[in-house]
């Protein structure tokens, strides 16, 4: 039974496994978890292992290991999470290039209000969330492609700044599945967010892929519009008279 329960949890999550198995850290997690079962059940690897079984058989689970496996399997199935071997290894933190401004509980409001001509796409995340860690390289790549004077990208850690999560109505509870949340601000005001929230406060299922973010937030259109506004602003500055001569012409 201790082996059957994890297998049931694995079969239950098979439709979502393919995209995770392609990632190195998930493959490593699977190998580490499978290694425990192989070492405990496969002679002669298990012959030298300690055991608390009454019959002294080292090639079978003792009562303590059975309880641990059953407990972990119950958690996996109740929370409808990915299979157990995918939970043992979190995605690595992203440390690559990005064009993102990080906010705290004070600077986020100041920056949104500082220049209302700037459109902001802000990610509300938490470092403990594996979904946020998986989305980090995608968001960083989007910032490198679309950042310009009129379109900026930001992030704020709502796991650390809990008052920010309250102000912007982003729940940090794992049960609501609201992390990460992307909010688009124009004129200092929220105009849309993903994922959307249902009446029960749970996030509507939405895939955080690069294609979905570009399509849902119209990043191509926002980018072109921001570039035009920036060019128009530069032209106005160049045509404006400056210095004493310009002031004299205005007086005349």
């Amino acid at each position: 039974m201790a082996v059957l329960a994890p297998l049931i949890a694995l079969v239950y999550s098979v439709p979502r496994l393919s995209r995770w198995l392609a990632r190195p850290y998930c493959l490593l997690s699977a190998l580490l978890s499978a290694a425990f079962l192989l070492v405990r059940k496969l002679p002669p690897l298990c012959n030298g292992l300690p055991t608390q079984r009454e019959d002294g058989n080292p090639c079978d689970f003792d009562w303590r290991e059975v309880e641990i496996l059953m407990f972990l399997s119950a958690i996996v199935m109740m929370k409808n999470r990915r299979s157990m071997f995918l939970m043992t290894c979190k995605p690595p933190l992203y440390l690559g290039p990005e064009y993102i401004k990080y906010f705290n509980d004070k600077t986020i409001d100041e920056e949104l209000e500082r220049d209302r001509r700037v459109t902001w796409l802000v990610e509300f995340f938490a470092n403990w969330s594996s979904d946020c860690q998986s989305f980090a390289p995608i968001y960083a790549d989007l910032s490198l492609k679309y950042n310009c004077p009129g379109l900026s990208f930001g992030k704020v850690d709502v796991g650390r700044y809990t008052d920010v999560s309250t102000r912007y109505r982003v729940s940090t509870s794992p049960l609501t599945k609201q992390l990460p949340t992307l909010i688009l601000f124009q004129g200092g005001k929220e105009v849309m967010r993903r994922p959307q929230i249902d009446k029960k406060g749970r996030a509507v299922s939405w895939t955080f892929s690069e294609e979905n973010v570009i399509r849902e937030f119209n990043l191509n259109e926002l980018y072109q519009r921001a570039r035009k506004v920036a060019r128009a602003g530069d032209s106005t500055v160049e045509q404006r008279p400056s210095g004493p001569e310009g002031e004299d012409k205005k007086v005349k």
Side-chain angles (χ1 to χ4, degrees), residues 14 16-30 85-86 92:
V14 161
R16 293 177 292 176
L17 290 180
S18 57
R19 64 187 181 94
W20 290 94
L21 288 176
R23 303 182 179 183
Y25 55 82
C26 290
L27 182 59
L28 176 62
S29 179
F85 65 84
L86 292 180

Side-chain angles (χ1 to χ4, degrees), residues 20-159:
W20 290 94
L21 288 176
R23 303 182 179 183
Y25 55 82
C26 290
L27 182 59
L28 176 62
S29 179
L31 293 176
L32 290 175
S33 300
F36 169 74
L37 298 176
L38 291 175
V39 171
R40 174 53 82 182
K41 300 291 292 184
L42 186 64
L45 298 177
C46 59
N47 291 336
L49 296 178
T51 181
Q52 298 183 17
R53 291 178 58 89
E54 295 181 356
D55 58 6
N57 182 12
C59 293
D60 205 352
F61 297 105
D62 57 39
W63 63 270
R64 179 175 53 85
E65 293 169 332
V66 170
E67 286 185 348
I68 293 173
L69 288 174
M70 292 294 292
F71 176 73
L72 292 176
S73 301
I75 292 177
V76 170
M77 299 185 72
M78 286 193 316
K79 298 298 184 181
N80 191 24
R81 303 293 291 271
R82 302 179 186 92
S83 61
M84 181 164 52
F85 65 84
L86 292 180
M87 294 175 62
T88 60
C89 182
K90 286 188 175 182
L93 292 175
Y94 177 76
L95 300 175
E98 59 185 21
Y99 211 122
I100 298 172
K101 184 177 181 63
Y102 285 79
F103 301 122
N104 57 35
D105 53 344
K106 296 181 176 61
T107 58
I108 181 171
D109 295 332
E110 296 174 356
E111 192 65 35
L112 292 176
E113 295 292 336
R114 188 174 64 85
D115 188 350
R116 289 176 172 263
R117 295 171 300 177
V118 177
T119 297
W120 281 94
L121 184 62
V122 181
E123 178 193 355
F124 295 76
F125 75 102
N127 283 325
W128 50 260
S129 169
S130 59
D131 290 330
C132 293
Q133 294 177 16
S134 299
F135 181 61
I138 299 175
Y139 191 61
D141 187 54
L142 289 171
S143 72
L144 295 173
K145 291 179 179 178
Y146 289 96
N147 185 84
C148 64
L151 177 59
S152 298
F153 291 76
K155 294 180 74 168
V156 57
D157 186 352
V158 292

